[in-house]
Amino acid sequence: MPGLEDLYREIILDHYRNPRNRGELETPPALRVEGFNPLCGDEIVLYLDFDADGGVADIRISGQGCSISQSSASMMSAAVKGKSVVEIDDLTRAFKAMMSIHENTLEGAETTEAIDAPEVKLGDLEALRGVVKFPVRIKCATLAWNTLAQGIEEASA
Amino acid sequence: MVISLDPIDGTAMKAQFPLLSRDVHGKPIVYLDSAATSQKPLAVLDAMDDYYRTINSNVHRGVYMIAEEATNRMEIARALLRDFLGARSSSEIIFTKNATEALNLVALGWGRANLVAGDVVVLSHMEHHANIVPWHMLVAEIGIELRWIPLDNEGRLDLTDLDTLLNGAKVLSVTAMSNVLGTINPVRTLTDAARKAGAISIIDGCQSVPHSATNVQELGADFVAFSGHKMCGPTGIGVLYGREELLEAMPPFLGGGEMIRDVRLDGFTTNDLPWKFEAGTPPIAEIIGLGAAVEWLNGVGMDNIRAHEIALTDYTISTLHERFGDRIRIHGPSSPAERGGVFSFDFDGLHPHDISQVLDQHAVCVRAGHHCAKPLMKLLGIGATARASVYVYNDTADIDALADALDATGAFFTL
């Protein structure tokens, strides 16, 4: 049975208590994009400054949510700030692969390695791996990433 | 702490609910989410099991013995509900799949037939989505106007401008008790005001009918909707009480078998009440299960249940305040006489998901989220709350377990 320490790793609690890149950026030039988790009422607002090539030059986060969604957003912001579109895309795919549930995970087996995840170092984000053992919380962890993807899509449209 | 007389021994009561004897994470379960759904006593489980084992057959069709018996038991359940609610006739008891469908039946059934563009429907700021969204659908479809009864700072309806809000209104639709704040509303005052203004009144009884004696005639309501699964009955069954004259004048909601008297190539004639509103094979086992729940509740006594919950509400509010002081904020009225056993709270500034996740490790089941009342959450200025709610089988030991688990939650996140 997964315990609380699988979910609430120390590094997650650190990002929850001391969130990175919290705040707002002036719009425009920044793009403002909102994400909601309709099941629990969590909401996240991302402010994104893009560089000339479409990479994320700067990022700020506001909104409210649980420790998992807040810390995931904080870690995400630290991971993507200053990265190119391609690097962010790789990170996003690697993170989502880590978050994907496979049938054997649902039956209680250990998490399987993601099948087509790019070769990317997830760093602090690895701490969120335990979330897959708590399926209802996966949406909390992916909210910031889905919102980022939406922002990048809007910016390139 | 206030000591109130409690006619119910929660510990003895638990023995009648098989689920409450199980463990969660190696600890005895502490179930505090009855506002979402109640647990089921053995009497209800047995009644449903017996139906499937001995008389399973379709109702109102077969002429053979077990089909007659199934029909009888279903209609006995309807009569039990008629008496439970103080309705004048079994024709006024419509079975639906849940309270949401019951509210939709009135809003869309009565509403489409009687409302035109510009007509006013009055709701309150504490409604469940089920009593908001069907009306929003009529705003889009017909162009009706919605008005909202505001709340005071303790989460009670602010009735200062009620007559102005109801001026020219066709419908008043409000909850008898908030599923978030626990506030018990003055239903008779509301229905009297509606009648005076020429509006029909609809009462969402989901949180009130399971917890206190209900008499629809004393309430003065035209319609009352509630669910079976919150009152010790099964899921998949809800009830709509409607005044017979209004139901007679309404067009049918869904069409199909059971709801017709005659079908021709050029049309159909509807069946009598209540079957006019019960298209298709009904949830027979669930209706029989709900009937058994009503008998069981009658055996305990609805006034005893209310007294038990007032005592437990007293205990809960004083225990949580004594142990946590300013660390906890319980929403809704502070007086147990004005509220039911539903406690939405903020604790230590923690997110409700995190609270309920840690509580779960201590086998304490509470709800976290917006409780299908997003307009209310916005009014309260919060995204979500944790909510503990009690029923007939809870006792002070459950509240102590909640407090202990909250203690552990606070410690876990402040390390």
Side-chain angles (χ1 to χ4, degrees), chain A residues 8 17 38 42 65 67 137, chain B residues 25 351 353-354 357 361 370 413:
Chain A
Y8 296 112
R17 293 179 193 123
D42 282 4
S67 61
R137 305 300 293 275
Chain B
H25 306 315
H351 192 279
H353 266 185
D354 294 317
Q357 189 89 59
Q361 294 290 317
H370 54 58
F413 284 105

Side-chain angles (χ1 to χ4, degrees), chain B residues 262-297:
Chain B
D262 185 29
V263 180
R264 306 168 304 275
L265 291 182
D266 64 350
F268 71 96
T269 353
T270 56
N271 199 343
D272 294 332
L273 289 174
W275 307 289
K276 170 181 160 186
F277 291 104
E278 295 179 357
T281 294
I284 304 163
E286 285 74 13
I287 291 171
I288 289 169
L290 180 56
V294 167
E295 283 189 297
W296 188 86
L297 290 169

